Amino acid sequence: MEKENNMALSSAGTSRVRQRKRSNEVIPEPNKPNGGTLLVDDRNKYKSMWIRTYSTVWMIGGFALVVYMGHLYITAMVVVIQIFMAKELFNLLRKAHEDEHLPGFRLLNWHFFFTAMLFVYGRLLSQPLVNSVTPDKFLYQFVSSLIKYQMAICYFLYIAGFMWFILTLKKNMYKYQFRQYAWTHMILIVVFTQSSFTVANIFEGIFWFLLPASLIVINDIFAYVVGFFFGRTPLIKLSPKKTWEGFIGASVTTMISAFVVSIIFFFLS
């Protein structure tokens, strides 16, 4: 009898657990892949559209102001964006528990970051910086000396960072520290490779920066607009509101705009 009672209690417990699991499960609706509503079916889509339009106008206006101010200001904008990108990438493999046992270890990432920035941009911006500070004798001598010994400065900064890393190694933390060291260098390669080409294009002519940047803006705008009115087929599960209609419409619009915008820039130059 006791065995039967125990079996009955266990079966009742398992049935309750199953019912709780089933009650916690959210069954997605057929028109809502991954629980998200398509933009074309969203009741608040016009409110969202006005908010996006307002922010887009401000962003384009700010971008146009930076472009109007010249090459060095565009480069400064790229550097700021680059810093935020690196910050997000540094945090991907960050573990708070391990970081508590390694005070100051986060600063090492930024040490390597700014060392790489000095190495990459010091070579690309040497002549523009000298030209921009020519009227001031003190700044001219300072920048000239910095450029002259730039490679040596970068070398000693990197060696200092490597020694810093070795001195901060702790037992039972080797795997995490070496993983962070490798991840930091991968971030530097990815971020600075593309940004160095971007900055080089800026000083070869703003046209070579402005054209691809304009096409990115056009692609993003028309992907939203086409998806807003005609989007019915979800594109990827990661972002349920993106649709194939928006992707195809933006692709076609961007290819046409590449010819139109390049002709406009040609006549404006």
Side-chain angles (χ1 to χ4, degrees), residues 248-259:
I248 295 171
S251 301
V252 174
T253 306
T254 303
M255 287 187 287
I256 296 172
S257 300
F259 294 97

Side-chain angles (χ1 to χ4, degrees), residues 31 53 56 70 93 95 125 140 142 152 155 169 191 199 204 207 210 234 238 243 250 254 257 260:
N31 292 330
T53 303
T56 299
L93 292 184
K95 295 182 180 179
L125 303 179
Y140 178 78
F142 175 75
Y155 175 77
L169 288 174
V191 172
V199 174
E204 287 294 326
F207 168 82
L210 196 56
L238 184 64
T243 61
T254 303
S257 300
V260 176

Side-chain angles (χ1 to χ4, degrees), residues 20-214:
R20 287 176 184 175
K21 288 183 178 180
R22 289 175 182 174
S23 63
N24 291 332
E25 292 176 355
V26 178
I27 302 174
E29 298 179 13
N31 292 330
K32 298 181 179 181
N34 297 331
T37 307
L38 289 175
L39 194 58
V40 72
D41 298 323
D42 193 354
R43 294 180 180 178
N44 297 321
K45 65 178 184 179
Y46 288 102
K47 181 180 178 180
S48 174
M49 182 186 70
W50 282 114
I51 294 173
R52 285 174 176 265
T53 303
Y54 183 76
S55 59
T56 299
V57 170
W58 275 103
M59 291 173 66
I60 293 176
F63 178 74
L65 178 62
V66 173
V67 171
Y68 176 77
M69 294 174 72
H71 298 75
L72 289 177
Y73 291 92
I74 300 173
T75 304
M77 180 185 68
V78 173
V79 170
V80 171
I81 294 172
Q82 187 179 27
I83 291 172
F84 282 103
M85 286 174 58
K87 181 181 177 182
E88 293 297 324
L89 291 171
F90 284 146
N91 290 332
L92 282 180
L93 292 184
R94 184 177 179 180
K95 295 182 180 179
H97 178 70
E98 282 78 358
D99 287 344
E100 290 177 358
H101 297 84
L102 298 169
F105 189 71
R106 287 291 117 194
L107 294 175
L108 185 60
N109 293 337
W110 292 107
H111 173 82
F112 284 120
F113 177 83
F114 287 109
T115 301
M117 181 179 291
L118 179 62
F119 174 76
V120 173
Y121 293 146
R123 302 178 68 181
L124 292 173
L125 303 179
S126 57
Q127 193 59 43
L129 284 174
V130 170
N131 294 336
S132 63
V133 299
T134 300
D136 194 317
K137 292 182 179 180
F138 175 76
L139 285 177
Y140 178 78
Q141 292 177 355
F142 175 75
V143 173
S144 299
S145 301
L146 187 65
I147 292 169
K148 183 179 179 180
Y149 300 106
Q150 181 238 352
M151 294 295 291
I153 293 171
C154 292
Y155 175 77
F156 284 112
L157 284 174
Y158 184 84
I159 294 300
F162 183 75
M163 292 174 64
W164 182 359
F165 171 73
I166 296 298
L167 293 173
T168 55
L169 288 174
K170 286 190 177 182
K171 193 176 181 180
N172 299 325
M173 302 289 290
Y174 296 150
K175 185 177 180 180
Y176 175 75
Q177 288 181 281
F178 275 100
R179 185 187 301 167
Q180 289 293 317
Y181 184 78
W183 180 243
T184 299
H185 284 71
M186 288 299 298
I187 291 171
L188 298 181
I189 292 171
V190 171
V191 172
F192 281 103
T193 299
Q194 59 179 346
S195 64
S196 62
F197 291 131
T198 302
V199 174
N201 281 338
I202 291 171
F203 287 97
E204 287 294 326
I206 294 181
F207 168 82
W208 301 110
F209 168 78
L210 196 56
L211 177 61
S214 301

